[in-house]
Amino acid sequence: MTTTVTENYDVVVCGGGLAGFTAAVAAARQGASTCLVQNRPVLGGCSSSEVRVIARGAASYHGYAREGGILREMEMQERHHNHQEIFESGWANSVWDMTMYDMVQRTEGLALKLNTTVLEALTDGHKPVTVKAVRCHTPSEEKFTVLFAKQFIDCTGDGIVAMSAGCSWRRGEEARAEFNEPHAPAEASNWTMGNSLLFKTVDTGHEVPFIPPEWAIRFDNPDYFDKQGRFLYDTRGGFWWIELGKPWDVITDGETIRHELTRRVYGVWDWMKNRDPRFKDLTRNLALDWIGQVPGMRESRRIEGLHMLTEDDVRDNVPFPDEVAYGGWNIDLHTVGGMLADSSEPTAATGYDTSGKVSAAVYVGPFGVPLRSLIARDATNLLLGGRIVSATHVSLGSVRVMGTTAIMGQAAGTTAAMALQKNIPLHETPDRLADEIQQRLLRDGCFLPHVTNHDPDDHALRADSITASSEDLCSGADVDSIWVDGGLVRPTDALQNDVLTAARGQWIPVSRGVEAQGIDTLSVLLRNDADAPVPIRMALVGVASIWDYRRDTGCILASHEASLEPGEHRVIWPVKLDGTTLDDAMRQAGLGNSGYVRFDIEESPSVTWPRAGRIVPGALSAFEMQPGKLRRFHDGVTMNWHIEPAQRVYHAEQVTSGEFRPHLATNLWRSDPQEDMPAWLELAWNEPRTVQEIVLEFEGNALYEFDRCPTFWSDPQTARDYEISVADGNGDWKKVVEVTDNFMSRRVHHLDYSVTANRVRLTVTATNGDPSVGVYEIRCY
């Protein structure tokens, strides 16, 4: 007999994908009683072990752009405990699911309902509408539940709550003229990007035959794969392009699409095992281990919000005053029809040519996402998360990826809770509450490109002095330099790919202001493979940030030309640029307080500029992908270079710069790697401060995507063993925190009781491998 129960919460989050998961955790952590409703037995949506799509985001295209907050916290937990290596498609196991489940169980004030479908929203019938409750069904318990709340967040993927509440929504492609979007079609359509199924294989250790079922699709033409952008890039699992939409509706024909995708998964594997001349041997001992039966969806309904994100917003990196998240994935618009179309996604169809016009046209970010795109226009108390956010079809091509939706979800959950706490109507929060929401997100580990920490409650920002046991200096890196990476998957491109087939730039962190050292010399090791000398043209360019991809920034600080003889030689450039001149030139060019210059070398196809053997923290490189526009070089490598004098860019004061990753500067304190540990960092105030919470952001991997991290991983740049002590006005020290075996980059320490302190000292006795201690940020409350 079916029963009906009612429950009451402050916030109800509908949908347990990554966006819904982070929204619910964030709302509960802000003190709101929260319920998370998920129609599947596991959390994570497309990233779960049911679908197995890797959660990617901005760091796939931009160094140091990896998403933070709850998502990164979960990723670091998962990598530390999971035995399963990550690969492109099909990797996820239940450890990933249970990491999310564990976090929900440990979050006070958060209720979880799995296997529960949201059927409809119950409203007051006004315009704009107020959602009173959502009606849900749990078949396994033969129970209906009506969940009442003050705020709702729709992360259902299809916009079930918003649609049933009567909110306006869109679907398919807008016409180019509506928002003047270059990537939009001339005529509007109702077609969306398609759904996908993945698979995973297992190595049996002996030859395994494969006989496909008679209902499988048979593929016989290699051109279908090789010349239409459907690359067979892995034998362990795959592939994102096993995708279908048109002529079927991704929602109402979902089961038909699932069956058709299953037919094609078997067909692709049949091709690889039995007919593809390259993969027959590679797959000889492999057998299908898992085939997904829950399709991963890219796009369905999009709900209209207070602002609709457009291609211009994404491309021009508009500095929204209510910025609460960011993106940086390319404008990834899969070809309508998927496997039934003439080719797959456009950049894949052109062979992933990173120098091509297609790739250049869709290379965007990092860009901000406004809170207004997360608030439903036609409802008074409904926020949006995941792929249903208020965005055009084109801009959704970028913000739909799960790394981005996860941090948008955290922003939505934080907003819902704070709006209730402050008793501010949801539609007024972008104007009245945006600054407080932004500061809360930063405090909780979320990075925002256009926002810095100015939290009035953060005592660290008002420290009268910040000192350290030692400071590392930045002098560059050589080809044979060594980086302690703890097993991070490094770029595997052969050395010949370092040939200067296009102009290349190396960001160099430099000191600014009255104490700036200036630059006496720059040197670089180059190899000329020609039989005669070739000219080498160099320039030192002022840039606005680590993501300033303009070839011409309007600030050429110095230029130089040298003749490079055949063979390998070190080119030494006597720059002779004093600190005052450098500072004045960058300010006149409107580059503000940027702590970077870029060392450019012009194209020279016979010359190789070898990469360094280590990553210099906060120093990226790029190449000219199209005239005037740069792109990150490979996956965030450092080229070899040397600067004199060594720059003071890792000084202790960086921990209160207001940012906690390389962006406008390195924003990082690093201890001298030549000095033995312990290393310490100390904040002091002339007047005593009351402290009960201390937040630490250690140096850790924000350079690469999550999938670079190996199994059972502890980031070598994080502090392993450390303690925090406080001193009063008499200089008497008291230890208040002691930690061993840490592997997390962000730690929040709530003291059992408040202390009165004139000084707070962090002492690190061991890292997880790096000879330097690195700290991006310290906060005291």
Side-chain angles (χ1 to χ4, degrees):
M1 181 176 179
T2 301
T3 60
T4 298
V5 298
T6 61
E7 298 177 10
N8 287 273
Y9 298 91
D10 292 329
V11 178
V12 168
V13 181
C14 303
L18 286 186
F21 166 79
T22 57
V25 172
R29 285 182 176 181
Q30 301 308 317
S33 62
T34 304
C35 182
L36 173 59
V37 187
Q38 165 71 328
N39 65 344
R40 304 299 306 170
V42 294
L43 297 166
C46 286
S47 76
S48 74
S49 63
E50 288 190 317
V51 185
R52 305 194 183 190
V53 179
I54 190 167
R56 293 198 180 277
S60 287
Y61 292 89
H62 311 281
Y64 297 105
R66 184 173 164 190
E67 293 74 20
I70 294 168
L71 175 65
R72 188 176 182 199
E73 179 184 340
M74 184 182 66
E75 289 174 338
M76 295 192 78
Q77 291 277 357
E78 190 273 350
R79 279 296 83 192
H80 188 71
H81 296 105
N82 202 342
H83 64 279
Q84 175 72 56
E85 66 176 332
I86 300 174
F87 55 91
E88 175 68 29
S89 300
W91 72 275
N93 61 11
S94 291
V95 176
W96 174 254
D97 299 334
M98 296 309 295
T99 301
M100 286 177 277
Y101 185 80
D102 171 67
M103 186 176 288
V104 168
Q105 296 303 315
R106 290 186 290 106
T107 300
E108 186 177 350
L110 177 55
L112 174 63
K113 297 186 182 299
L114 295 174
N115 297 305
T116 300
T117 299
V118 175
L119 300 175
E120 63 178 341
L122 306 179
T123 73
D124 64 357
H126 297 158
K127 290 186 178 181
V129 70
T130 296
V131 179
K132 295 295 186 180
V134 290
R135 193 168 70 93
C136 310
H137 183 222
T138 309
S140 58
E141 296 182 337
E142 297 185 355
K143 182 172 67 177
F144 289 94
T145 306
V146 180
L147 300 174
F148 289 86
K150 300 168 186 174
Q151 303 274 22
F152 292 84
I153 307 177
D154 189 344
C155 300
T156 58
D158 295 333
I160 299 299
V161 179
M163 180 188 67
S164 64
C167 295
S168 300
W169 53 275
R170 291 175 177 240
R171 187 174 183 185
E173 304 165 299
E174 286 85 7
R176 186 175 304 145
E178 183 173 1
F179 295 100
N180 195 29
E181 295 179 306
H183 279 89
E187 301 293 332
S189 84
N190 287 324
W191 297 118
T192 65
M193 290 178 277
N195 302 349
S196 288
L197 279 186
L198 304 181
F199 67 89
K200 181 178 176 294
T201 67
V202 62
D203 190 338
T204 66
H206 55 82
E207 186 171 350
V208 181
F210 176 70
I211 301 174
E214 61 182 13
W215 43 264
I217 296 291
R218 180 181 175 91
F219 296 100
D220 288 304
N221 183 5
D223 290 352
Y224 178 81
F225 300 97
D226 300 337
K227 294 184 179 180
Q228 296 182 21
R230 301 181 182 95
F231 298 108
L232 303 168
Y233 49 79
D234 207 327
T235 59
R236 296 170 295 180
F239 296 104
W240 60 262
W241 47 258
I242 301 179
E243 173 185 359
L244 288 173
K246 181 183 179 181
W248 297 290
D249 184 298
V250 293
I251 297 176
T252 60
D253 296 324
E255 284 303 299
T256 298
I257 291 175
R258 182 200 57 77
H259 172 64
E260 291 296 331
L261 286 169
T262 305
R263 298 176 67 203
R264 284 160 177 80
V265 168
Y266 275 117
V268 169
W269 185 242
D270 174 41
W271 166 257
M272 293 174 70
K273 283 281 288 185
N274 297 324
R275 284 184 297 287
D276 189 313
R278 298 160 304 170
F279 280 87
K280 284 174 62 176
D281 288 338
L282 294 175
T283 60
R284 188 177 303 278
N285 293 349
L286 300 183
L288 284 174
D289 185 57
W290 169 86
I291 296 176
Q293 286 297 278
V294 179
M297 294 184 71
R298 293 177 175 86
E299 179 185 17
S300 55
R301 301 181 184 95
R302 292 171 281 113
I303 311 304
E304 294 189 2
L306 300 182
H307 175 83
M308 181 158 288
L309 201 71
T310 69
E311 182 173 356
D312 279 349
D313 295 336
V314 167
R315 184 182 307 282
D316 298 340
N317 191 15
V318 176
F320 296 107
D322 58 334
E323 176 180 296
V324 291
Y326 69 95
W329 189 261
N330 71 338
I331 300 176
D332 186 6
L333 297 172
H334 288 216
T335 306
V336 169
M339 295 187 80
L340 299 181
D342 291 337
S343 65
S344 68
E345 185 270 335
T347 59
T350 56
Y352 297 110
D353 179 7
T354 55
S355 295
K357 291 183 178 180
V358 172
S359 293
V362 298
Y363 191 74
V364 295
F367 56 85
V369 177
L371 175 58
R372 287 165 294 147
S373 288
L374 310 183
I375 299 175
R377 184 188 66 193
D378 300 328
T380 64
N381 63 338
L382 180 60
L383 287 129
L384 311 170
R387 63 176 182 264
I388 71 167
V389 297
S390 183
T392 64
H393 169 81
V394 173
S395 64
L396 186 76
S398 179
V399 300
R400 65 182 174 81
V401 293
M402 285 183 283
T404 306
T405 62
I407 56 175
M408 290 192 294
Q410 183 166 352
T414 300
T415 299
M418 291 185 68
L420 292 178
Q421 292 166 3
K422 302 289 183 179
N423 195 27
I424 294 176
L426 188 59
H427 280 208
E428 296 179 20
T429 56
D431 294 323
R432 297 177 56 188
L433 199 58
D435 181 68
E436 291 185 55
I437 294 169
Q438 291 167 339
Q439 293 304 307
R440 183 73 242 186
L441 289 168
L442 293 180
R443 182 171 175 172
D444 292 340
C446 294
F447 172 75
L448 298 173
H450 301 98
V451 183
T452 57
N453 175 23
H454 60 258
D455 188 341
D457 296 328
D458 182 5
H459 297 317
L461 291 178
R462 290 146 193 92
D464 294 298
S465 68
I466 304 176
T467 54
S469 56
S470 65
E471 294 176 354
D472 194 10
L473 295 174
C474 180
S475 59
D478 297 319
V479 173
D480 56 358
S481 297
I482 297 175
W483 180 40
V484 180
D485 62 11
L488 275 180
V489 180
R490 300 288 300 281
T492 57
D493 308 276
L495 188 62
Q496 62 263 29
N497 286 333
D498 291 345
V499 174
L500 289 170
T501 53
R504 195 171 311 149
Q506 170 67 54
W507 274 260
I508 298 177
V510 294
S511 58
R512 292 278 302 273
V514 294
E515 297 182 358
Q517 297 99 314
I519 303 172
D520 290 340
T521 62
L522 277 172
S523 64
V524 59
L525 182 70
L526 302 174
R527 188 180 72 240
N528 177 12
D529 292 324
D531 296 330
V534 296
I536 297 295
R537 297 178 180 87
M538 308 174 178
L540 196 65
V541 179
V543 292
S545 74
I546 201 170
W547 299 318
D548 188 350
Y549 297 126
R550 300 171 297 165
R551 182 73 197 281
D552 181 6
T553 67
C555 184
I556 298 178
L557 299 167
S559 58
H560 180 65
E561 183 170 332
S563 179
L564 184 66
E565 296 291 329
E568 192 170 78
H569 305 278
R570 179 162 293 278
V571 178
I572 300 176
W573 174 11
V575 179
K576 302 300 180 184
L577 184 66
D578 65 80
T580 301
T581 302
L582 183 151
D583 193 65
D584 289 345
M586 291 185 69
R587 291 192 185 280
Q588 290 173 10
L591 300 178
N593 294 318
S594 170
Y596 285 103
V597 297
R598 198 178 66 230
F599 177 29
D600 290 351
I601 301 182
E602 294 287 339
E603 173 185 349
S604 187
S606 68
V607 174
T608 295
W609 182 2
R611 66 191 67 181
R614 67 182 291 256
I615 299 296
V616 174
L620 293 174
S621 58
F623 70 98
E624 189 170 31
M625 64 187 306
Q626 283 285 296
K629 185 176 183 178
L630 300 177
R631 176 180 177 140
R632 182 184 66 179
F633 184 57
H634 291 310
D635 295 331
V637 300
T638 298
M639 308 312 299
N640 90 81
W641 54 278
H642 191 75
I643 189 171
E644 290 286 350
Q647 300 291 300
R648 185 174 178 260
V649 295
Y650 304 125
H651 51 86
E653 295 91 340
Q654 294 267 54
V655 298
T656 56
S657 67
E659 296 186 317
F660 53 90
R661 65 178 59 192
H663 178 218
L664 300 179
T666 64
N667 302 307
L668 172 67
W669 166 64
R670 279 177 63 86
S671 66
D672 186 343
Q674 303 302 317
E675 301 226 353
D676 293 335
M677 293 185 195
W680 55 263
L681 176 73
E682 183 179 303
L683 281 65
W685 299 268
N686 295 333
E687 298 294 329
R689 303 286 174 137
T690 300
V691 177
Q692 193 164 10
E693 179 179 297
I694 299 171
V695 182
L696 303 172
E697 180 77 35
F698 294 112
E699 186 180 5
N701 175 35
L703 175 62
Y704 295 142
E705 278 279 30
F706 167 55
D707 63 340
R708 291 303 184 84
C709 306
T711 61
F712 299 125
W713 193 60
S714 296
D715 193 318
Q717 274 71 55
T718 57
R720 189 190 72 194
D721 305 328
Y722 64 90
E723 62 185 44
I724 301 173
S725 300
V726 299
D728 58 23
N730 297 322
D732 297 325
W733 287 96
K734 180 179 182 179
K735 185 190 301 182
V736 293
V737 173
E738 185 173 12
V739 175
T740 58
D741 298 322
N742 173 60
F743 59 90
M744 300 295 289
S745 62
R746 192 169 189 86
R747 294 297 304 266
V748 179
H749 294 289
H750 301 281
L751 308 185
D752 293 335
Y753 52 87
S754 62
V755 296
T756 300
N758 286 79
R759 289 186 284 172
V760 171
R761 175 179 285 193
L762 166 69
T763 302
V764 179
T765 56
T767 69
N768 283 295
D770 197 299
S772 286
V773 174
V775 178
Y776 280 125
E777 183 178 57
I778 183 169
R779 292 175 177 235
C780 298
Y781 295 95

